[in-house]
Amino acid sequence: MPLSALKSENQITPELEAMLLAQRSAYRADPMPNRATRIRRLDTLHNALLDHSDQLITAVSQDFSNRAAAETYLTEIAPLLDGIAYYRKRLKRFMKPQRRHAPLLLQPASTHVFYQPLGVVGIVVPWNFPIFLALSPMIGAIAAGNRVMLKMSEFAPATGALLQTILGKIYTQDEVSVVTGDVDVATAFTALPFDHLVFTGSTQVGKIVMRAAAENLTPVTLELGGKSPAIIHEDFPIQEAAKRLAFGKCINAGQTCVAPDYILCPKNKLDAFCTAFVEIVSKSYPSLRDNNDFTAIITDRQKARLEIYLRDAQEKGAELLPINPTNEAFDNSRKMPITLIRGARDDMLVMREEIFGPILPIIPYDSLEQAIEFVNNRPRPLALYYFDWNKSRANDILTRTHSGGVGINDTLSHVAADDIPFGGIGSSGIGHYHGKEGFLTFSKAKGVLRKGRVNTTRFVGPPWDNLMYRSLKKFQKLRHRRR
Ligand code: NAD
């Protein structure tokens, strides 16, 4: 059946259709790539990342008009190298069929789970970490034996074009192919009947993508956004909290899905926190406009959106604290200072929308209970950060709040921990990748039961009024009776 027969109202283009068909038939020719093939695919990517890291850093910076080189290395390239090493080391164990229990009633029999590649995985990539968010799910999909089609973001065109060239050199089109283009291409891409679709982007577009995937019953992993809170416990040293939070907020100028979106700070520590935060950020970025360490906003449109948030907050009575140590002007520049907001309220855009930029509202709280309630009264976030040396209180936060992931006494770094799953919950996403969970996401865990030469149903089966069946029933009743 041609793919177009399966399409919804979204137009599948012939080029995309041909690409998917080529990948699908290559997959059928080698439906269970062995470990050596998977490792070869991962290793060539590993070497390409090492060979082209400088070019990649330059391309991302071009897309942002400036992105700190160290940020691209530390948040995109380094975790990918580690991610490849992680799967390389564990692939044998992950691929091994797992023996499982077979119930007495079915004996003699053996059961196992067979981890089968799904086929062709589609991956839709946002602009904010365009290398990591393209290749990190791809590494999991390749490790699990799949073919991959990537749709890069139209807002990171230099990175998209470079990845297309690099991946085009190391993979055949039917192993990995890269698609670039605008929303129309993205719409057509997500209408393809992939065997699995990973979408990373906004919650709003995530809903559209899930609808498109539903037409084909394509399973989805949705890596979405939201407002990730940080709670500082009263006992935690406020200077240290400010230091750790500033790092997580300033990376990529706050354009990070897991950046702290707002801070819940003990009321009596609010002044101290703001003072410390301003001091730390000013030291890290003594100037902004021409400072290559300080990343710019991706587009004029995104900058305008953030400026609207600031204006709205100010007009509604909030106090803005822009951290601009040398009082620079930012006309004709896509840079924006990190701005703390005091007095933010629920009716302000900064508290209603995901910020995704260099703005940080600080919300005072009186009791930890109040802070927990504040978080629980809002949609479930992608990340939650809690600052407290007390382990039992931190464990309590784990059980009393929901979020995709948690950072205790740190920000962002849980995303780079290979061995734990990464993914949202509720409006921040569905499903996971990274770690063993990532391998499972991109595999069909197929349950298999095997019987041998002895066929017990021969003795138990119909006509049902036989001694074996009656004895079996009696035995089962005795076995399962709970006293
Ligand atoms: P976006 O939702 O606007 O776009 C993401 C991708 O979807 C792009 O490749 C785009 O081409 C495509 N797209 C746009 N409209 C589409 C449509 N109608 N149908 C199909 N595809 C479509 O998001 P963005 O602005 O690129 O990224 C910012 C958002 O992504 C933020 O909300 C952020 O929190 C989220 N994000 C989440 C994660 C995560 O891992 N959970 C990571 C990074 C970013």
Side-chain angles (χ1 to χ4, degrees):
M1 178 166 43
L3 296 180
S4 41
L6 299 168
K7 76 182 177 188
S8 64
E9 72 229 27
N10 298 324
Q11 278 307 314
I12 295 176
T13 64
E15 294 82 8
L16 289 177
E17 181 175 5
M19 213 177 251
L20 178 59
L21 279 176
Q23 290 223 345
R24 189 166 280 168
S25 66
Y27 166 71
R28 282 189 189 145
D30 183 14
M32 186 73 193
N34 60 22
R35 189 159 63 100
T37 305
R38 300 183 197 197
I39 286 182
R40 178 187 57 73
R41 288 178 184 153
L42 292 175
D43 282 352
T44 46
L45 180 64
H46 187 271
N47 292 341
L49 283 170
L50 290 174
D51 292 346
H52 299 285
S53 62
D54 290 343
Q55 274 171 281
L56 286 163
I57 286 169
T58 306
V60 177
S61 190
Q62 189 182 328
D63 286 330
F64 276 81
S65 77
N66 180 65
R67 152 84 86 79
E71 287 184 3
T72 303
Y73 185 77
L74 288 175
T75 60
E76 306 222 56
I77 294 168
L80 287 170
L81 296 172
D82 285 348
I84 291 171
Y86 171 86
Y87 278 119
R88 199 181 196 289
K89 195 166 164 197
R90 291 161 182 81
L91 208 46
K92 188 172 176 189
R93 177 151 49 92
F94 288 174
M95 286 173 69
K96 197 173 167 199
Q98 243 186 43
R99 279 187 76 105
R100 293 292 175 92
H101 161 78
L104 196 61
L105 198 62
L106 306 179
Q107 294 294 350
S110 68
T111 56
H112 69 272
V113 183
F114 177 68
Y115 297 102
Q116 185 172 26
L118 297 171
V120 183
V121 174
I123 299 174
V124 181
V125 187
W127 50 262
N128 65 329
F129 290 95
I131 311 169
F132 182 73
L133 295 171
L135 302 184
S136 181
M138 185 177 104
I139 289 166
I142 288 178
N146 298 281
R147 313 248 157 188
V148 173
M149 282 174 65
L150 292 169
K151 156 66 182 71
M152 299 303 294
S153 168
E154 61 275 34
F155 299 113
T159 313
L162 180 60
L163 268 189
Q164 196 170 38
T165 308
I166 295 172
L167 299 182
K169 277 190 196 148
I170 61 169
Y171 294 122
T172 55
Q173 279 284 306
D174 58 23
E175 279 177 320
V176 171
S177 49
V178 181
V179 176
T180 57
D182 59 9
V183 177
D184 289 343
V185 177
T187 306
F189 187 88
T190 50
L192 290 170
F194 289 112
D195 299 300
H196 192 94
L197 181 61
V198 180
F199 169 81
T200 305
S202 59
T203 302
Q204 190 191 358
V205 177
K207 290 179 188 172
I208 301 173
V209 169
M210 192 165 175
R211 246 176 257 134
E215 285 292 323
N216 304 310
L217 288 182
T218 293
V220 288
T221 299
L222 300 179
E223 297 286 340
L224 310 177
K227 295 182 78 60
S228 299
I231 306 174
I232 306 170
H233 189 269
E234 202 178 346
D235 293 350
F236 196 84
I238 208 72
Q239 182 86 14
E240 192 59 31
K243 210 178 277 174
R244 295 177 189 212
L245 280 158
F247 183 81
K249 188 67 186 181
C250 294
I251 291 269
N252 215 25
Q255 301 163 100
T256 307
C257 56
V258 286
D261 188 277
Y262 62 91
I263 313 276
L264 286 159
C265 179
K267 197 183 245 167
N268 58 357
K269 299 276 179 83
L270 196 74
D271 290 338
F273 178 82
C274 292
T275 308
F277 195 92
V278 171
E279 201 175 288
I280 288 155
V281 174
S282 306
K283 249 193 212 149
S284 301
Y285 308 97
S287 69
L288 306 175
R289 205 188 151 99
D290 299 318
N291 181 353
N292 289 342
D293 282 353
F294 190 66
T295 296
I297 305 302
I298 187 80
T299 56
D300 289 334
R301 206 168 127 220
Q302 287 290 338
K303 189 177 172 196
R305 174 184 67 85
L306 292 161
E307 284 168 345
I308 290 171
Y309 288 7
L310 288 176
R311 235 182 354 261
D312 171 79
Q314 197 164 34
E315 280 166 14
K316 288 177 179 155
E319 183 193 352
L320 309 189
L321 299 171
I323 310 174
N324 182 2
T326 50
N327 275 324
E328 293 166 276
F330 295 97
D331 333 313
N332 304 320
S333 157
R334 295 216 302 265
K335 290 201 172 168
M336 257 184 105
I338 306 277
T339 300
L340 296 182
I341 299 193
R342 293 181 64 152
R345 289 192 322 255
D346 278 355
D347 62 332
M348 297 175 184
L349 287 169
V350 279
M351 290 314 292
R352 287 203 339 243
E353 306 288 335
E354 176 184 9
I355 293 175
F356 212 58
I359 301 173
L360 187 59
I362 319 294
I363 314 288
Y365 72 81
D366 291 313
S367 67
L368 193 57
E369 285 304 311
Q370 200 189 2
I372 293 171
E373 203 178 302
F374 192 94
V375 170
N376 286 341
N377 284 342
R378 285 161 175 76
R380 293 172 171 180
L382 185 58
L384 182 142
Y385 301 111
Y386 182 62
F387 292 83
D388 191 348
W389 302 133
N390 182 304
K391 282 192 180 160
S392 107
R393 273 195 308 250
N395 289 341
D396 198 37
I397 293 284
L398 291 185
T399 57
R400 296 185 59 197
T401 59
H402 273 97
S403 58
V406 175
I408 299 171
N409 306 328
D410 204 12
T411 52
L412 314 190
S413 52
H414 65 289
V415 182
D418 305 304
D419 207 17
I420 56 176
F422 175 59
I425 177 169
S427 59
S428 63
I430 294 175
H432 304 105
Y433 64 105
H434 291 182
K436 174 82 194 257
E437 285 78 4
F439 185 88
L440 294 177
T441 290
F442 299 118
S443 305
K444 166 66 189 160
K446 190 150 76 176
V448 181
L449 179 140
R450 191 192 304 272
K451 286 256 182 185
R453 293 181 199 281
V454 181
N455 176 14
T456 44
T457 50
R458 191 158 57 94
F459 307 112
V460 185
W464 292 112
D465 189 24
N466 65 65
L467 181 65
M468 274 305 271
Y469 172 67
R470 286 200 306 273
S471 317
L472 181 82
K473 198 171 152 199
K474 212 179 263 173
F475 176 65
Q476 283 285 90
K477 274 188 175 166
L478 282 172
R479 237 182 110 224
H480 287 290
R481 176 132 355 250
R482 298 269 176 266
R483 309 241 167 250

